[in-house]
Amino acid sequence: MESFLIVLRDQARDPKRRPDRALDDALARLSRILSQLAVALEVEYRGPFVGIGAGREAFCLAVRAHEEGPNSAVWAARVCSAAPHRGLAAHWDLAAVSRLRKPLVAQALPAFLAGYHGAVTAAARADTAAGRRLLALSQALDPNH
């Protein structure tokens, strides 16, 4: 298993573990990979909540074509506003979240990747190179695998 996946798996299993440089690097690497996969797959998915405290349901992980500027949409995984009137507005790249939110994002990754793969399967895109890579990522972080 790739070392960045081990870091993410360990953080997901132990949410009380303090975020460190290794987690920062692992989230950055995963974010780059998910961006590449999202471009290839073009399948939207709204994942688990990653809000903090009483605002637990204020933010979620999502893959879609996010508006990154005027007339510019980029397929990627982002932490987004989960409020219905906000339309999944992207707030942060996975690696750019606060130290307080990083453990929440890592803890949500197994469910996020499994759900995203489910959406890719439902869209009949699982049997592509990108779909197979997503499955491998999902299995690497699956606590039951």
Side-chain angles (χ1 to χ4, degrees), residues 8 22-32 94-95 102 105 109:
L8 293 172
L23 179 59
D24 294 346
D25 294 343
L27 285 171
R29 179 134 183 233
L30 180 64
S31 183
R32 285 190 302 273
L94 300 182
K102 281 183 186 192
V105 169
L109 285 174

Side-chain angles (χ1 to χ4, degrees), residues 6-28:
I6 293 169
V7 170
L8 293 172
R9 181 199 64 199
D10 291 349
Q11 184 71 45
R13 290 180 179 170
D14 182 9
K16 296 202 183 308
R17 187 178 182 156
R18 296 180 70 120
D20 58 13
R21 182 72 177 161
L23 179 59
D24 294 346
D25 294 343
L27 285 171

